[in-house]
């Protein structure tokens, strides 16, 4: 039986080149980057070199790069470190919990929140954002790519409009995007996106777990939410994760090197998968916009079956997929993202997220397309829903 991994939106394997780049900083070059002796300075040089790679990728200054434990921490730092009681935040109803939950905490402390609806394809409307802005609006946080349905939000369009608006306002509105799912597939030039803050995570791009980045534009009045050291200008204290940072930078280098070829190949495989699944399985649908989506994402719903049952039966056939975000696994409720699209609950419960990666081949697609229809048919036969 083959072992096929189709859950790259959840996490990716560490690329061998990334692993090799990291190895010396676990063994021989293990110094604390804050130490003044040679061991420490050797690690510090690796951190600074890595920071330059990432800054060049984002087209920003190295002083605007802060390393975190991952995008969840980066998101929390933005939300909790920027807005305060009496101010207003605009976000969408389909954000990752790393945004929605800290926003909810602030709401309990007197911060006003507007949760934007999305259309049936999962896209935010710039018109809705314009109408939501108030005099006390402090922050707009809209994710670049949705982690479940893969839709790409109009970040550059929002950024361009907000830049013009801020020229007429006394109280500047800051713009943040959670770009975790976008790095492999979308434009990441800060100047083109028009964002003030951006979060990303290494383990979604064939880098190590436990390391992420927050880009914070010079002049953004962000306050730390952790204390206990002076590392990274006090913004994110704690011993710097040198091996993780080196691995993240190497993963970024590989994204740049393989961007066009990887995206073209994955899109071809993904489109083939979408066409064949919709053609062979009755009462099935694709969720999210067909064109405004990242190249590796195919998110389906199948009427009258449970997503978890499909996942488990596919796993028995050697195929790993997801029913949605790994952060929401274990919940018996249908996905809040899918419900925000206005979807029938019987479709929402029967969802599968299939996210391709560098290792996937045409043979993998063929195998999945052969196994999935009989699984859906089997489950429908025993389902009380007809």
């Amino acid at each position: 039986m083959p072992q096929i991994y189709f859950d790259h939106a959840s996490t990716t394997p560490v690329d061998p080149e990334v692993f090799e780049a990291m190895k010396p900083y676990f063994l021989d070059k293990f110094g604390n980057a804050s130490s003044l002796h040679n061991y420490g300075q050797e690690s510090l040089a690796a951190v600074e070199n890595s920071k330059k790679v990432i800054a060049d990728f984002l087209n920003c200054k190295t002083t605007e790069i802060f390393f975190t434990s991952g995008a969840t921490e980066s998101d929390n730092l933005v939300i909790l470190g920027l807005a305060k009681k009496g101010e207003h935040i605009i976000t969408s109803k389909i954000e990752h919990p790393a945004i929605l939950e800290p926003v909810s905490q602030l709401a309990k402390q007197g911060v006003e929140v507007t949760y934007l609806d999305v259309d049936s394809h999962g896209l935010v409307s710039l018109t809705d954002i314009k109408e939501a802005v108030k005099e006390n609006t402090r922050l707009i946080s809209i994710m670049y790519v949705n982690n479940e349905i893969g839709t790409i939000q109009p970040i550059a369009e929002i950024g361009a409009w907000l830049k013009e608006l801020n020229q007429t306002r006394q109280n500047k509105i800051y713009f943040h995007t959670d770009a975790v799912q976008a790095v492999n597939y979308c434009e990441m030039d800060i100047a083109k996106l028009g964002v003030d803050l951006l979060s990303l995570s290494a383990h979604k791009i064939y880098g190590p777990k436990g390391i992420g980045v927050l880009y914070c534009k010079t002049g953004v009045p962000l306050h730390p939410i952790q204390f206990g050291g002076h590392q990274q200008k006090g913004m994110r204290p704690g011993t710097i994760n040198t091996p993780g940072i080196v691995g993240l930078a190497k993963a970024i280098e590989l994204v740049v090197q393989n961007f066009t070829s990887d995206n073209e190949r994955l899109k071809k495989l993904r489109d083939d998968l979408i066409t064949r699944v919709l053609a062979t399985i009755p009462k099935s649908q694709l969720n999210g916009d067909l064109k405004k989506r990242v190249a590796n994402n195919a998110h389906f719903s199948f009427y009258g079956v449970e997503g978890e049952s499909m996942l488990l039966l596919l796993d028995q056939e050697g195929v790993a997929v997801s029913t949605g975000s790994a952060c929401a696994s274990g919940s018996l409720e249908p996905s809040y993202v899918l419900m925000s699209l206005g979807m029938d609950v019987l479709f929402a419960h029967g969802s599968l997220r299939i996210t391709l990666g560098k290792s996937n081949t045409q043979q993998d697609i063929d195998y999945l397309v052969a196994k999935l229809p009989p699984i859906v048919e089997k489950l429908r036969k025993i389902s009380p829903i007809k």
Side-chain angles (χ1 to χ4, degrees):
M1 180 188 302
Q3 294 296 311
I4 301 172
Y5 186 74
F6 278 132
D7 197 18
H8 292 85
S10 172
T11 197
T12 56
V14 173
D15 189 284
E17 290 187 52
V18 171
F19 181 65
E20 289 301 319
M22 293 173 65
K23 276 171 61 176
Y25 297 94
F26 285 114
L27 303 171
D28 302 322
K29 303 177 181 182
F30 57 83
N32 187 323
S34 298
S35 298
L36 296 178
H37 48 62
N38 184 62
Y39 286 91
Q41 293 305 294
E42 188 175 42
S43 291
L44 180 61
V47 170
E48 292 301 318
N49 288 337
S50 298
K51 190 179 290 187
K52 186 176 186 310
V53 169
I54 298 164
D56 287 347
F57 175 65
L58 296 176
N59 189 22
C60 68
K61 303 172 185 175
T62 56
T63 53
E64 297 173 324
I65 297 293
F66 296 91
F67 295 108
T68 66
S69 62
T72 293
E73 183 186 339
S74 297
D75 288 347
N76 273 257
L77 178 52
V78 170
I79 301 300
L80 302 177
L82 193 55
K84 59 183 183 294
K85 184 177 180 179
E87 295 179 331
H88 176 230
I89 293 175
I90 299 171
T91 190
S92 83
K93 292 182 178 179
I94 64 167
E95 298 296 307
H96 192 278
I99 293 293
L100 294 177
E101 293 188 17
V103 165
S104 176
Q105 291 300 312
L106 285 185
K108 296 175 184 177
Q109 300 169 23
V111 173
E112 187 179 359
V113 182
T114 297
Y115 297 96
L116 299 172
D117 289 318
V118 294
D119 66 18
S120 61
H121 298 294
L123 296 170
V124 170
S125 163
L126 177 56
T127 299
D128 289 348
I129 294 177
K130 291 178 179 180
E131 293 176 352
V133 167
K134 302 181 179 184
E135 184 59 34
N136 64 336
T137 301
R138 177 69 159 176
L139 173 67
I140 298 174
S141 182
I142 303 294
M143 70 193 324
Y144 200 161
V145 172
N146 184 264
N147 51 299
E148 290 192 31
I149 57 176
T151 49
I152 304 171
Q153 302 295 349
I155 298 301
E157 184 182 0
I158 298 168
W161 163 76
L162 194 54
K163 181 179 179 180
E164 289 187 11
L165 179 66
N166 277 326
Q167 293 173 357
T168 66
R169 285 177 57 97
Q170 183 176 355
N171 303 319
K172 179 178 171 65
I173 301 173
Y174 297 99
F175 184 26
H176 166 254
T177 189
D178 179 334
V180 167
Q181 300 288 346
V183 178
N184 278 320
Y185 312 106
C186 301
E187 174 65 65
M188 294 296 293
D189 186 322
I190 293 299
K192 295 179 181 178
L193 296 178
V195 296
D196 301 295
L197 305 117
L198 180 146
S199 308
L200 62 84
S201 196
H203 77 103
K204 307 292 189 180
I205 58 171
Y206 305 91
K209 296 173 180 65
I211 186 70
V213 161
L214 173 63
Y215 156 76
C216 181
K217 188 176 182 178
T218 302
V220 175
L222 190 66
H223 299 286
I225 60 173
Q226 299 179 41
F227 303 91
H230 300 285
Q231 297 93 342
Q232 303 197 74
K233 297 183 283 188
M235 183 61 71
R236 202 285 187 174
T239 301
I240 293 172
N241 178 3
T242 303
I245 290 168
V246 169
L248 170 55
K250 185 62 182 179
I252 292 288
E253 288 182 343
L254 295 175
V255 168
V256 174
Q257 178 181 318
N258 302 316
F259 185 85
T260 300
S261 59
D262 281 354
N263 272 271
E264 289 176 353
R265 190 184 71 85
L266 288 176
K267 184 178 183 300
K268 184 178 179 181
L269 291 176
R270 193 240 10 227
D271 288 349
D272 179 53
L273 171 64
I274 291 172
T275 299
R276 294 165 70 185
V277 166
L278 296 180
T280 56
I281 302 179
K283 294 184 180 180
S284 62
Q285 68 180 40
L286 179 73
N287 301 317
D289 193 272
L290 179 58
K291 294 182 179 179
K292 297 177 182 177
R293 72 189 303 132
V294 286
N296 77 322
N297 180 292
H299 193 287
F300 301 101
S301 284
F302 306 97
Y303 185 86
V305 296
E306 285 290 332
E308 289 80 4
S309 298
M310 288 187 287
L311 184 154
L312 293 172
L313 290 176
L314 282 170
D315 192 49
Q316 291 177 12
E317 299 289 349
V319 180
V321 297
S322 169
T323 58
S325 170
C327 303
S329 62
S331 173
L332 297 177
E333 297 298 318
S335 161
Y336 68 91
V337 172
L338 298 184
M339 296 309 294
S340 295
L341 308 185
M343 187 178 297
D344 185 311
V345 67
L346 295 179
F347 264 114
H349 269 296
S351 65
L352 280 185
R353 182 184 69 177
I354 301 166
T355 45
L356 285 64
K358 292 195 290 189
S359 64
N360 292 131
T361 64
Q362 183 64 54
Q363 288 71 33
D364 295 340
I365 300 296
D366 295 343
Y367 186 82
L368 175 59
V369 171
K371 295 297 181 180
L372 184 56
I375 285 175
V376 173
E377 183 180 1
K378 175 181 178 181
L379 292 172
R380 282 176 172 163
K381 286 181 178 178
I382 62 174
S383 172
I385 301 167
K386 302 299 180 184

